[in-house]
Amino acid sequence: MQCSVQWNGPEGMLFVTKTGSGHIIAMDGAPEGGGNNLAPRPMELLLSGAGGCSAYDVVLILKRGRHAVTQCTVDINAERATEDPKVFTKIHFHFKVTGKSLSRDAVERAVKLSHDKYCSAVAMLEKTAEFTHEVTIIEA
């Protein structure tokens, strides 16, 4: 896996990433940090990546189990350390999974498997952050 990150200077703190798979991502900082607030912060993208990784796992696990899942949303709240490096210290995932006749046990199992076994992003962030989660099942 590879990517290239380029500063879009000389003013501001806008960075553009080209991923190894050929996609483009912009990142920027807050005005008080020299940025212009034109794109997500790098740490927001890190948190989004963990949510995407885990949601991907949950949907795949449920589909492989032949559960009728039609939607999965993850709302994430995180806290960061006050001192540098300002790592994540607490991360809470709220999974909202929609489908037909989904069992709570199946959805909880999928989340647990993602967090305990499959999601690389969660595995890395668990080195500094305490993870919690909750599940809401929505009947479609």
Side-chain angles (χ1 to χ4, degrees), residues 50-88:
C53 181
S54 189
Y56 185 103
D57 290 340
V58 168
V59 169
L60 190 61
I61 291 164
L62 290 171
K63 282 181 165 255
R64 284 185 177 162
R66 299 190 177 162
H67 298 281
V69 59
T70 58
Q71 188 174 19
C72 179
T73 303
V74 185
D75 294 326
I76 307 164
N77 288 303
E79 294 179 20
R80 292 177 64 189
T82 55
E83 307 271 328
D84 289 326
K86 294 179 182 157
V87 298
F88 291 115

Side-chain angles (χ1 to χ4, degrees), residues 61-118:
I61 291 164
L62 290 171
K63 282 181 165 255
R64 284 185 177 162
R66 299 190 177 162
H67 298 281
V69 59
T70 58
Q71 188 174 19
C72 179
T73 303
V74 185
D75 294 326
I76 307 164
N77 288 303
E79 294 179 20
R80 292 177 64 189
T82 55
E83 307 271 328
D84 289 326
K86 294 179 182 157
V87 298
F88 291 115
T89 56
K90 292 183 181 179
I91 302 174
H92 180 75
F93 281 35
H94 181 186
F95 289 86
K96 297 174 187 172
V97 183
T98 303
K100 185 173 181 169
S101 302
L102 293 174
S103 79
R104 176 161 298 281
D105 287 345
V107 176
E108 288 280 357
R109 179 181 174 274
V111 170
K112 185 165 177 38
L113 280 169
S114 175
H115 284 201
D116 293 348
K117 184 174 182 180
Y118 295 114

